[in-house]
Every structure is written in structure tokens, then in C-alpha cells.
Amino acid sequence: MHQERIAQVLANLEKEGCHQAIISDPMSIFYLTGYYTEPYERFFALFVSTDETVLFANRLFPDATPFCPDVVIHDDTEDPLPALTEHIDHTAILGLDKSFPARWVLPLIDGKAAPSFILASKAVDDARSIKSPEEQQLMREASRVNDEAMGWLKAQIKAGVTERSIAERLLGEYRSLGAEDHSFTPIVSFGANAADPHHEPDDTVLNPGDMVLFDVGCKKDAYCSDMTRTFFTAEPTDEQRLVYETVRKANQAAEAKIRPGVTFAELDLTARKVISDAGFGEYFTHRLGHQIGLNDHEPGDVSATHDEPVQVGQCFSIEPGIYIPGKIGVRIEDLVIVTEDGCEVLNSYPRDIEIVDL
């Protein structure tokens, strides 16, 4: 049980006038207790209040008692809500996270479990957003593995190879480097496919002259990495070089801008201005980045609409890109941790143009 994390969530809830909440997101429960299971359709929830913390788990789940001192166990045939409502203060606001299914929420509303309900997810998300020193080290380790894997990926760039064949072999490389899994489905894109930011690897064959984009990440000790690099298989054309260098400069400018107090929107606009000034503004079609930790995408994006200031300990991606349909796709992505006077860039893999000889 991570009491200091639970205390932070409760402090965040108090700002909303709430002192109790039900948390059902399995990764948030892991963050707060150290216990993880995938419940599928079964009821799984953590009740937190200023008086107690209680975990509600199914008998089929692994034993949770080493992680949480107060665990209520139910069977598949039991309705878990009566036991849950025994712990709720029925005279006070009740917080619910965004993952709590409607099939449990509606009976609580109908049964008047509380006079009013609020969305409690931000209280948890804000706590998870600030990475502890221990979490920061885990993020560094996951990114170190990803850097090594990018070197392996570069070595797979050979004439005749397919996107799918590289993507399918990447997990084995991650595991040989000490990671457990992908943090998301890898993106491997050859040639014009790189102009699709979320291209799914297929049977496209690599041909001489194709650009190659890898957007990949692993999960190590539960924490995620995420990085994108773009390679050439021939001397880039003037247009390709201009696009690549523009993206690199946008990445560099945004990272140089990071410091506590600067807003996420300012970071996005910094990178976007570099790309727009070069004449490619219409081809930068996504936000600049996203927060990351136990999940690859965590709440609090790096976008023009997010006006909150960045804070020390936050970890997020900086990933500008230019995508000209049918022609060129370039993205350069790093993860950063906000420090007292700037940021630490977690990825060390080079960002300069690299030409792979086929």
C-alpha cells in the first residue's frame, strides 16, 4: 500500500469538497496499492476515504491481502454493491473514476448511495502525473532499453524485409534486453506509409530509397517507454532533408522551452511555429505529445488547448511530425522529465539524419 499516494489523491479530492471515492481503473489501483490484476468483466474497486482504504476483489483474483490490509472478497454469484455501500458515507459527495462501469454506477445512483457524485479521475491523474524519484528511475531504465532496441531496429533495415516481419520480432529483442512487453503496438512504416501517423505494420516490402519510421516502446518493471526515429535508405532529396531538419528543429525548440511554469500549450505552439514557418503547418496533424508512466498515454496532453503549467517530475513526449500524404512522413520523438530548471531528455539515440546502406 502506498499511503503517501493515497494521501495525495485524498488531498486532491478535498479541493473538490469530496472526502471519498471509488477507483476502478486497474492501473490506478496498482499505483495506489502495488496490487495488479486484470478483472475483465468482474467487479474490482478501491474505496478510499479520509477514514479507510478498502479493496473489493473477486475470489478468482490473486490474493490481494499482502498489498492491502482491508480486502473484501466476493464470489461471481454475489452482488458486490451491498458490501461496498456499507463503507460509503451516504451524506457526503462520492467521487467515481471514469473507468467505473455504468452497470455499477446506476444502481448506486438509484440507491441514493450519496447525495451527489463527482468525477474523481483528475484527483488520481494529477497524483500519477508527478513521478517520484523511484518512478523517474524506472522511466529512465525503460527508455534505456528502448534506445538499445532502436539500434537493433536500424540493423533490420534491409532490402526485401517487410514491416510486419520487423514488428513481430521486436518483442523478442525487448525481452532479451530485460523488458516484459510492448508498451503499445509498434509502428513500422516504409516509404509513403510513414505519412500515416498511426500506420499499422503490414506486408509492405522495403525498397531502396524508402524512408523508414519506427515508433516503438517497451514496458519494463511496469513503466513505459516511447520513442520515434526516422531513417533514410538513400541520400535524401532536398525536400526530404528540409522536412527532416524542420522536424528535428521543432523537437529541439520544444525541449529547450521546457521548464516549470511554462504551459503545455506553449510547448505545442513552440514546435508548431517552427513547422509552420517552414511552410509545413498543415502537415503537422496531431498534438505535440502526451504524458506517460504506467500507461503509454496518460491524461494531460501536450497540446495547444492544455493551458496548465508543467511541473517538476512530470514525464511526457515531445514528438513533432510532418506528414505529406503519399510522399513523406517524419517524426522525431523523445521522452522528457521536467526538472527544477529545464528538463531531462530520456532518449539518447541520435536525432541527426542517418542513411542506412542497403
Side-chain angles (χ1 to χ4, degrees):
M1 182 80 73
H2 298 292
Q3 295 291 356
E4 73 287 354
R5 296 177 180 179
I6 293 172
Q8 184 60 60
V9 169
L10 289 169
N12 293 344
L13 283 170
E14 287 289 347
K15 296 174 187 176
E16 305 295 325
C18 179
H19 69 257
Q20 58 179 351
I22 299 169
I23 299 161
S24 63
D25 171 48
M27 199 56 77
S28 290
I29 292 174
F30 171 73
Y31 173 77
L32 296 172
T33 67
Y35 175 78
Y36 181 81
T37 191
E38 176 51 63
Y40 300 104
E41 79 281 4
R42 294 182 172 89
F43 186 85
F44 183 44
L46 183 72
F47 176 77
V48 297
S49 75
T50 51
D51 298 322
E52 61 180 346
T53 300
V54 184
L55 183 65
F56 294 83
N58 192 287
R59 193 172 303 280
L60 297 177
F61 297 167
D63 182 18
T65 54
F67 301 91
C68 187
D70 196 349
V71 180
V72 175
I73 303 295
H74 57 272
D75 294 316
D76 274 354
T77 56
E78 289 182 276
D79 178 358
L81 291 184
L84 172 64
T85 56
E86 289 179 9
H87 296 268
I88 296 172
D89 180 352
H90 302 293
T91 66
I93 297 170
L94 177 62
L96 304 173
D97 77 0
K98 58 183 176 285
S99 298
F100 202 45
R103 65 195 181 100
W104 305 120
V105 174
L106 295 177
L108 289 178
I109 294 173
D110 290 343
K112 296 181 171 42
S116 61
F117 300 81
I118 65 168
L119 186 62
S121 291
K122 193 173 188 305
V124 183
D125 295 341
D126 285 354
R128 286 179 57 177
S129 177
I130 307 299
K131 304 302 189 274
S132 68
E134 293 76 18
E135 288 180 291
Q136 291 179 34
Q137 185 56 33
L138 291 169
M139 294 298 298
R140 292 186 189 99
E141 280 298 302
S143 286
R144 179 190 60 78
V145 169
N146 215 23
D147 277 337
E148 291 191 44
M150 189 61 72
W152 177 87
L153 285 164
K154 178 186 173 183
Q156 309 313 303
I157 301 175
K158 301 172 183 177
V161 73
T162 67
E163 295 172 344
R164 195 190 311 277
S165 69
I166 295 178
E168 288 178 345
R169 288 182 284 121
L170 177 57
L171 182 56
E173 178 63 16
Y174 276 143
R175 288 178 174 167
S176 75
L177 294 170
E180 298 91 45
D181 204 349
H182 295 293
S183 54
F184 59 94
T185 302
I187 297 174
V188 179
S189 306
F190 297 162
N193 289 343
D196 174 3
H198 285 163
H199 173 71
E200 295 185 8
D202 57 27
D203 293 322
T204 298
V205 175
L206 180 65
N207 293 304
D210 283 346
M211 298 175 67
V212 178
L213 184 150
F214 296 120
D215 184 351
V216 297
C218 66
K219 182 167 282 197
K220 186 177 189 305
D221 299 321
Y223 282 78
C224 296
S225 60
D226 189 355
M227 175 174 55
T228 307
R229 292 293 185 267
T230 307
F231 298 89
F232 293 87
T233 61
E235 185 67 29
T237 65
D238 289 346
E239 183 181 30
Q240 289 174 335
R241 186 177 292 274
L242 177 59
V243 167
Y244 189 95
E245 289 300 330
T246 299
V247 172
R248 186 184 64 79
K249 289 174 183 176
N251 170 276
Q252 187 177 43
E255 291 177 358
K257 182 82 172 178
I258 298 169
R259 61 183 52 82
V262 171
T263 67
F264 288 99
E266 288 177 273
L267 300 180
D268 182 280
L269 293 171
T270 295
R272 205 165 295 278
K273 184 176 188 303
V274 172
I275 292 174
S276 294
D277 287 351
F280 298 109
E282 66 181 294
Y283 301 116
F284 182 13
T285 54
H286 56 73
R287 62 190 178 180
L288 180 61
H290 56 85
Q291 295 197 48
I292 184 171
L294 289 168
N295 294 107
D296 176 54
H297 282 218
E298 296 192 340
D301 61 5
V302 189
S303 75
T305 60
H306 188 186
D307 290 323
E308 292 184 355
V310 305
Q311 301 177 64
V312 173
Q314 288 180 322
C315 185
F316 48 84
S317 66
I318 297 294
E319 49 181 300
I322 294 174
Y323 315 94
I324 303 176
K327 292 182 63 178
I328 300 171
V330 173
R331 181 163 64 254
I332 300 174
E333 175 186 14
D334 298 315
L335 297 186
V336 301
I337 295 175
V338 182
T339 63
E340 295 285 350
D341 58 358
C343 75
E344 174 187 353
V345 180
L346 300 187
N347 297 105
S348 60
Y349 197 89
R351 297 158 194 82
D352 294 330
I353 287 177
E354 287 194 68
I355 303 172
V356 180
D357 185 3
L358 298 185

